[in-house]
Amino acid sequence: MMSTLVASKAMLLRDLRRSIRRSQDLAQSLIFFVIVITLLALAIGPDDQIFTTIAPAGVWIAILLATTINLERMFLSDYQDGTIELLLLSSASLPALVAAKIGAHWLTNACPQILMAVIVGAVLGLKTDVLVALGLSLLLGSPILSLIGGVASALTVGLRGGALLLSLIILPLYMPTLIFGTAAITNAALGLPIEAELFFLSGVAVLSASLAPFGAAAALRIRLS
Amino acid sequence: MDFSRLHKYASPMHFYSWSLAVAPWLGIACAVLFVVGLAGGLFYAPPDYQQGESFRIIYVHVPSAWMSLFIYMVMAGAGALGLIWHVKLGDMIARASAPVGAWFTFLALATGSLWGKPMWGTYWVWDARLTSELILLFLYLGYIALQGAIEDRRTAARAGAILALVGTVNIPIVHYSVEWWNTLHQGPTVTKFDAPSIDTSMLIPLLVMSLAYTLYFCTIVLVRTRCEILEFERNTTWVKQRAAGVNAV
């Protein structure tokens, strides 16, 4: 038990340190996110009213796409250099190690994206209530994306056509999160309460947190068997 | 309980022999039910008092929609058998079921859309049921894509089983979230069929058709699973002997 805790903590710190040293990856995903928002604005035209209505949906779609693109990296380098094999051989529990990896991925990929989304929202002139709803829905929704994404990432690690295959598998599974995330923001814009959506997102987040590490661990074992 | 017997029937070699004997009978029963069900649905059932003759599409539409969910459950269940208890046959059945399920889902969407044009005035509305059916189709396609991407069949089957299980947990969530999403967005008002309010003369052909669809699925899966078995086990002695025997004939 103790060794598992120590090992997961070490795993988490290692992944965090590695992402910080490779900050280029992080910058790329943020730039991608901003570009998608810009594309949306260009496609809609310079009408502020329409854009403010569509912005929440646009931000969520941009987050989904940026997350999906990032997911491939979750296990890829460890798969290529053989680290995953060592994790499988380790005496520490594999789901705990995988959970640490997913946690590190969430901290280094999702958190900056949420911050960026709120900044972009503020720049685009969303109201404070809407910004709060945007931030909260992303804060509760993005762990779901990383967790379910972890399973899909483990299933497709090292396969040819990885990124496209991954998005094909993962995007249908993301739809409930998208529905409730955007519903919270829409409600906030209409001045309606948003608790129900946030509770739903928290519920699914807890469900994913309790199941996904086991799924991802099983997936890694299968892929490397 | 005598599990050894069960084990015997679940071994690919025995499954191959008994499915070879059973499949034609299932196929015949399915064909008979199809004829009876279609005749009942297209000729004997009275036209609907509101929808006239167009309602008759439910005899192909509703069973397809039922099958689309049923086959996903079969796929996930068979995959779980293969994943957890290492029943090889489970892997093969899961793999054989996926395209059949995807086609049934597509059929449900296509027939629903054809029915929607005269009834709702449009081929597609973002109705909760339609949307969850579409997401189900995406789940099937993701499963098939994953199967196609992994070379080794054993690995592919087990990876697919995990994906199908994740999808199974997700299906109720998708269903309820989409329903909620739809009520939030105030989509077009849709008059739904209420199953209990359907008349017996219309219901019986529907049940017969559902049974026919189920038997069709069973027959096709037996045939497709046999094909999977031959490919999975192509290096075993019994497959080689059988192939040699067939060639000799």
Side-chain angles (χ1 to χ4, degrees):
Chain A
M1 188 61 211
M2 201 54 212
S3 72
T4 295
L5 272 180
V6 173
S8 325
K9 197 178 151 206
M11 189 82 238
L12 180 75
L13 291 176
R14 164 189 178 266
D15 273 20
L16 286 180
R17 223 176 280 130
R18 221 172 42 156
S19 318
I20 291 165
R21 284 179 193 157
R22 268 194 255 158
S23 51
Q24 205 190 355
D25 287 1
L26 177 64
Q28 281 171 358
S29 84
L30 288 179
I31 295 168
F32 175 80
F33 173 74
V34 176
I35 288 180
V36 173
I37 298 279
T38 315
L39 288 180
L40 184 74
L42 289 176
I44 292 169
D47 184 335
D48 276 349
Q49 184 123 40
I50 301 178
F51 190 74
T52 338
T53 327
I54 296 181
V59 169
W60 261 94
I61 299 275
I63 288 276
L64 286 189
L65 293 180
T67 308
T68 312
I69 287 178
N70 266 332
L71 276 178
E72 202 193 356
R73 293 193 192 133
M74 197 186 274
F75 296 108
L76 189 60
S77 66
D78 284 352
Y79 174 79
Q80 284 166 341
D81 67 13
T83 311
I84 302 271
E85 266 109 341
L86 291 180
L87 296 186
L88 290 179
L89 295 173
S90 148
S91 62
S93 113
L94 185 62
L97 294 175
V98 170
K101 281 193 80 67
I102 297 177
H105 188 264
W106 182 77
L107 284 172
T108 51
N109 285 288
C111 282
Q113 279 172 11
I114 297 172
L115 203 64
M116 195 61 160
V118 174
I119 294 173
V120 168
V123 172
L124 294 174
L126 297 180
K127 285 184 294 180
T128 320
D129 295 354
V130 180
L131 272 184
V132 170
L134 175 70
L136 284 177
S137 69
L138 285 176
L139 206 57
L140 291 170
S142 59
I144 308 174
L145 305 185
S146 298
L147 285 160
I148 311 179
V151 182
S153 177
L155 281 176
T156 56
V157 66
L159 290 179
R160 67 190 145 76
L164 192 60
L165 178 67
L166 185 58
S167 27
L168 220 118
I169 288 175
I170 201 65
L171 288 175
L173 298 171
Y174 280 171
M175 287 179 193
T177 314
L178 174 73
I179 290 172
F180 280 88
T182 47
I185 306 173
T186 315
N187 278 8
L190 296 171
L192 296 170
I194 58 169
E195 282 84 357
E197 285 82 359
L198 296 184
F199 287 150
F200 183 89
L201 286 177
S202 336
V204 176
V206 171
L207 180 71
S208 328
S210 48
L211 296 179
F214 294 94
L220 282 180
R221 278 191 207 285
I222 289 169
R223 290 286 291 117
L224 289 158
S225 63
Chain B
M1 220 176 127
D2 188 9
F3 278 112
S4 59
R5 235 177 123 148
L6 191 72
H7 211 260
K8 189 182 133 190
Y9 286 117
S11 88
M13 194 170 91
H14 282 90
F15 177 89
Y16 193 92
S17 326
W18 73 253
S19 72
L20 203 60
V22 168
W25 294 105
L26 279 180
I28 291 168
C30 161
V32 171
L33 284 173
F34 251 116
V35 172
V36 171
L38 278 179
L42 296 183
F43 301 109
Y44 292 102
D48 186 69
Y49 79 104
Q50 263 184 330
Q51 303 182 6
E53 303 289 348
S54 332
F55 98 96
R56 296 187 193 281
I57 202 160
I58 68 162
Y59 296 113
V60 285
H61 171 70
V62 172
S64 312
W66 284 343
M67 292 310 292
S68 65
L69 267 179
F70 173 70
I71 296 175
Y72 200 90
M73 293 301 142
V74 168
M75 204 173 86
L81 273 183
L83 185 66
I84 301 166
W85 291 284
H86 301 279
V87 180
K88 268 197 263 176
L89 192 62
D91 292 344
M92 298 163 187
I93 291 180
R95 202 182 155 98
S97 306
V100 188
W103 276 113
F104 271 123
T105 317
F106 177 76
L107 197 62
L109 283 169
T111 52
S113 164
L114 289 175
W115 174 83
K117 187 64 183 168
M119 288 300 125
W120 300 340
T122 167
Y123 285 115
W124 184 261
V125 286
W126 291 101
D127 168 65
R129 289 185 185 195
L130 269 73
T131 314
S132 21
E133 193 72 11
L134 184 65
I135 297 177
L136 184 64
L137 180 63
F138 291 148
L139 289 177
Y140 272 118
L141 295 181
Y143 178 93
I144 294 170
L146 182 65
Q147 297 283 305
I150 304 178
E151 300 276 344
D152 179 57
R153 277 168 179 269
R154 192 106 181 86
T155 316
R158 306 174 85 208
I162 290 195
L163 185 64
L165 288 174
V166 174
T168 313
V169 176
N170 220 50
I171 281 178
I173 302 178
V174 166
H175 180 78
Y176 287 107
S177 57
V178 168
E179 218 151 74
W180 209 47
W181 163 76
N182 190 252
T183 51
L184 277 181
H185 283 238
Q186 273 301 310
T189 314
V190 171
T191 41
K192 283 182 195 155
F193 280 116
D194 283 325
S197 68
I198 190 171
D199 189 76
T200 324
S201 59
M202 293 177 176
L203 184 62
I204 288 174
L206 183 59
L207 295 178
V208 173
M209 282 304 281
S210 307
L211 200 59
Y213 270 56
T214 315
L215 286 182
Y216 172 81
F217 167 66
C218 295
T219 317
I220 290 297
V221 155
L222 288 184
V223 174
R224 288 182 56 90
T225 306
R226 274 213 306 277
C227 185
E228 291 288 333
I229 289 175
L230 290 184
E231 288 188 39
F232 255 91
E233 310 242 299
R234 59 183 176 279
N235 293 327
T236 57
T237 333
W238 75 269
V239 170
K240 283 181 182 155
Q241 276 171 358
R242 195 171 263 278
V246 168
N247 286 340
V249 173

